[in-house]
Amino acid sequence: MSQKNEPWIREREATVCLWKPDQTRGYISNMAASLLTDFLCFSRRQLEEYVKMIRLCGFTGIQVTDICSAWRACGSWERVHDQFKDLADILHREGMSFTLWVWAAEFSDYGWHDDDVVYSAADPDTAPCDDPRVVAAFDKYYDIYADMAPYADRLIAHFFDPGHLTDTRSVLFFARRLFERFRRVNPSVRLGIDTWAAADDFPDQLVEAGFTDVMLMELPFLPTWGVGDKRARYRSRVKALGCELGSWGWYTCEYETDQGPFMSVNDRVIADVYRRTREQGDRIMVPSYWSEMDAYHVVNFFSLYVAGHLLIDPESDTDALLADAARLVAGEKGARDLLFILELIRDARSGDSFSAFWWNEPQYVLLCADHADILTRSDEAIARLTALIDGADGANDAHLPIPVRSLYRLMLPQLHQIRQYADFSVQLAAAKRAKEAGEV
């Protein structure tokens, strides 16, 4: 931090990821999944509490993902936008910001089907932006997104993965059309483009095409950005171009729940990512904006609380922050038991670093944890959580949009899954030892 009391990151937002909890990627309906964490089902009162919760976590605003899978889940894009408009109104009343993040080249998939959508030119030798059918399809959905223009403080375009544009000229063409639509309605809206899956020279191409006031967004995502000096080179390029630097956090606080709800507690993972990110690039340029994913809404409160406060002061004690979060939910009486449960989930599913958390790293925690210890602690954690469920309803000084007892009930199956996996791992290890000893 450059000055005392100055936050490390000036603008901090939680990203509401809108995969519906009972629908896997928009296709498979799981009728056993709880809808208590379905953000699109929150009432106005729940949205108000959610905003207070996010502010308590240290964030200055909220980013929402406007994606066609959410429209399918709600039956229409209008219903989704109604929820967004209520959220934006609440945020602005609280002095917080509202950011709209959109799929800029993905309009028909994940359960949402539109025969009018065409991504490729009829002539294979012609760029998509030169085909009137493609332009009409993009314009149709950019007009839908622009319904939110009066409410948005910032617009972030996401063109790659998922996205159907492969040539840079078409990406730049459609980025200009999207941004012009928003600026016509809201001249003060700030603009950004995230660079997930983009080519390394994409920032240069943007600026050369005239996008000089667009925030360029990197990823904290370490497997791709932690190799060599990629982050340092990226920040040097952004600084030389005179653009604003943002960071689009994904998979830092949790896994994306498009494959099913998965609770993790990532206090130490977050600290590791932030430390390594600062070491890789802060000497060159510090992001002015940072967002962190909230996919498993409410259940993810504990990681969000740590993330938001570390974005203010990255030198904060993460263990103390996690204890604070437990106290806000359970009160002084239940905080010790809840912290025991949270530490078990962390040790079983997240570990102490991103390398332990990420599924294809050699230190992946599900392969390397002390499963015998996890199994013993799981029994104790289940007993403690059951007592919390049966006891008082908790303090809820965290402004959770659902009752504390409901949160506990959502956590209980996670503990049983942890126990079952630990039991399986212990038995598997015993079978391997027996085989190696020639006993079977």
Side-chain angles (χ1 to χ4, degrees):
M1 297 164 65
S2 59
Q3 296 179 12
K4 189 176 181 180
N5 298 325
E6 180 182 342
W8 173 40
I9 305 297
R10 186 177 69 249
E11 292 185 81
R12 308 170 297 278
E13 292 188 340
T15 301
V16 175
C17 180
L18 284 183
W19 294 111
K20 193 167 170 61
D22 61 326
Q23 293 178 3
T24 303
R25 292 233 155 186
Y27 294 114
I28 301 171
S29 180
N30 179 6
M31 296 185 70
S34 172
L35 296 181
L36 285 172
T37 61
D38 188 345
F39 185 87
L40 293 172
C41 290
F42 283 179
S43 66
R44 172 88 184 196
R45 182 196 63 78
Q46 286 178 297
L47 288 177
E48 290 170 347
E49 289 301 296
Y50 180 82
V51 167
K52 292 176 183 177
M53 182 190 82
I54 294 300
R55 184 174 61 185
L56 182 67
C57 287
F59 293 96
T60 60
I62 289 175
Q63 177 189 131
V64 296
T65 57
D66 204 359
I67 54 180
C68 56
S69 68
W71 307 339
R72 184 265 183 180
C74 281
S76 70
W77 63 264
E78 291 93 341
R79 170 66 186 87
V80 174
H81 283 195
D82 285 345
Q83 191 79 336
F84 288 169
K85 291 170 185 177
D86 275 350
L87 177 64
D89 178 61
I90 295 165
L91 284 165
H92 291 151
R93 288 173 183 267
E94 294 289 335
M96 300 173 71
S97 57
F98 173 80
T99 293
L100 189 75
W101 179 99
V102 303
W103 275 350
E106 178 84 15
F107 317 117
S108 180
D109 203 350
Y110 306 94
W112 177 271
H113 183 72
D114 186 344
D115 288 330
D116 292 337
V117 173
V118 181
Y119 298 112
S120 301
D123 181 351
D125 296 325
T126 301
C129 61
D130 294 327
D131 190 313
R133 300 175 311 134
V134 179
V135 174
F138 276 68
D139 283 350
K140 174 181 178 179
Y141 282 91
Y142 286 1
D143 286 340
I144 290 174
Y145 291 145
D147 174 63
M148 289 302 305
Y151 306 87
D153 300 296
R154 177 184 282 107
L155 168 70
I156 299 174
H158 176 90
F159 277 97
F160 311 101
D161 187 27
H164 294 268
L165 297 178
T166 57
D167 67 298
T168 301
R169 187 164 72 87
S170 290
V171 172
L172 298 174
F173 174 87
F174 286 114
R176 183 171 287 106
R177 290 181 83 84
L178 175 63
F179 291 158
E180 286 176 350
R181 271 171 169 71
F182 270 72
R183 281 273 171 88
R184 280 199 298 267
V185 178
N186 182 357
S188 65
V189 68
R190 290 174 288 173
L191 306 173
I193 292 183
D194 78 61
T195 50
W196 179 283
D200 286 352
D201 62 348
F202 184 61
D204 300 270
Q205 294 170 328
L206 277 169
V207 173
E208 288 170 5
F211 294 89
T212 55
D213 65 342
V214 174
M215 179 174 65
L216 299 173
M217 306 190 70
E218 66 175 18
L219 297 170
F221 196 58
L222 290 173
T224 53
W225 284 81
V227 178
D229 61 347
K230 178 174 181 178
R231 192 178 310 280
R233 286 186 286 108
Y234 184 87
R235 291 192 182 184
S236 295
R237 184 178 295 116
V238 172
K239 184 176 182 179
L241 294 171
C243 293
E244 185 181 4
L245 173 67
S247 186
W248 189 61
W250 216 246
Y251 299 123
T252 310
C253 286
E254 57 175 330
Y255 282 115
E256 189 176 356
T257 57
D258 54 344
Q259 304 296 322
F262 178 91
M263 182 182 181
S264 55
V265 177
N266 283 21
D267 57 317
R268 293 178 179 175
V269 173
I270 296 163
D272 176 55
V273 171
Y274 290 3
R275 175 186 59 80
R276 292 164 66 181
T277 302
R278 293 168 68 206
E279 290 173 352
Q280 291 165 3
D282 273 19
R283 67 186 183 280
I284 299 166
M285 188 178 189
V286 178
S288 60
Y289 172 91
W290 193 301
S291 64
E292 279 296 349
M293 178 177 65
D294 175 26
Y296 199 0
H297 317 302
V298 188
V299 184
N300 189 40
F301 164 75
F302 306 100
S303 293
L304 282 175
Y305 185 84
V306 173
H309 286 281
L310 286 180
L311 289 173
I312 297 171
D313 180 3
E315 302 296 338
S316 297
D317 184 333
T318 56
D319 290 344
L321 287 172
L322 186 63
D324 288 343
R327 194 174 302 109
L328 287 166
V329 171
E332 293 293 340
K333 184 178 179 181
R336 183 176 179 181
D337 288 333
L338 181 55
L339 184 60
F340 179 89
I341 294 161
L342 296 173
E343 289 174 342
L344 167 69
I345 297 172
R346 176 190 66 203
D347 295 346
R349 287 186 167 175
S350 302
D352 295 341
S353 68
F354 192 86
S355 296
F357 176 63
W358 195 241
W359 62 274
N360 64 351
E361 292 286 291
Q363 299 93 344
Y364 183 39
V365 69
L366 289 189
L367 300 178
C368 300
D370 183 345
H371 297 295
D373 176 66
I374 296 295
L375 182 58
T376 301
R377 292 165 61 193
S378 295
D379 289 327
E380 177 67 20
I382 290 170
R384 293 196 190 197
L385 184 56
T386 301
L388 287 174
I389 292 171
D390 293 339
D393 199 23
N396 200 8
D397 291 332
H399 295 287
L400 304 180
I402 63 174
V404 171
R405 184 176 285 116
S406 296
L407 170 63
Y408 292 159
R409 286 173 174 157
L410 289 169
M411 292 171 61
L412 188 58
Q414 306 288 332
L415 296 186
H416 282 290
Q417 290 171 7
I418 289 171
R419 189 198 182 284
Q420 289 168 5
Y421 183 80
D423 186 39
F424 164 79
S425 298
V426 168
Q427 293 186 48
L428 180 62
K432 287 180 178 179
R433 288 194 300 270
K435 182 179 179 180
E436 291 170 357
E439 298 173 1
V440 292

